[in-house]
């Protein structure tokens, strides 16, 4: 259970940050609105990923799926960081 708790905390935090940053780069609103939406959605995503990790049989199964999602969102963030958004 401790391994699932650690995997859920780490992967939830990483995926919530990556997805919130991706959303921040793509929303066409003012900066304060994007920050508010990112904070609210980031917390909800963190909880959702933690629930998903707890629903898996072990920490390795949860880490495999969350790791794949992290790679996808990290690549999307890197690509959007180097493409200018005005």
């Amino acid at each position: 259970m401790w391994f699932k708790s650690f995997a859920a905390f780490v992967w939830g935090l990483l995926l919530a940050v990556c997805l919130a940053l991706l959303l921040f780069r793509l929303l066409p609103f003012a900066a304060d609105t994007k920050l508010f939406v990112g904070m609210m959605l980031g917390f909800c995503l963190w909880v959702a990923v933690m629930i998903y990790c707890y629903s898996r049989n072990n920490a390795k199964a949860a880490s495999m799926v969350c790791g794949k999602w992290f790679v996808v969102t990290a690549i999307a963030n890197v690509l959007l960081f180097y493409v200018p958004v005005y």
Side-chain angles (χ1 to χ4, degrees):
M1 188 70 174
W2 282 104
F3 293 120
K4 283 199 308 188
S5 298
F6 182 71
F9 179 76
V10 170
W11 286 117
L13 189 62
L14 286 173
L15 284 172
V17 167
C18 278
L19 289 171
L21 181 62
L22 190 62
L23 184 70
F24 185 80
R25 296 284 294 173
L26 294 176
L27 284 178
F29 300 127
D32 55 347
T33 307
K34 289 196 272 188
L35 286 174
F36 178 73
V37 171
M39 288 292 288
M40 295 298 116
L41 186 66
F43 180 73
C44 294
L45 287 171
W46 182 47
V47 170
V49 171
M50 288 184 72
I51 290 170
Y52 174 77
C53 288
Y54 280 123
S55 71
R56 304 302 289 179
N57 289 335
N58 55 19
K60 184 179 179 182
S63 294
M64 293 298 292
V65 174
C66 291
K68 291 176 186 176
W69 277 105
F70 176 71
V71 168
V72 169
T73 58
I75 289 172
N77 277 321
V78 167
L79 290 176
L80 282 176
F81 180 72
Y82 289 111
V83 174
V85 177
Y86 297 105

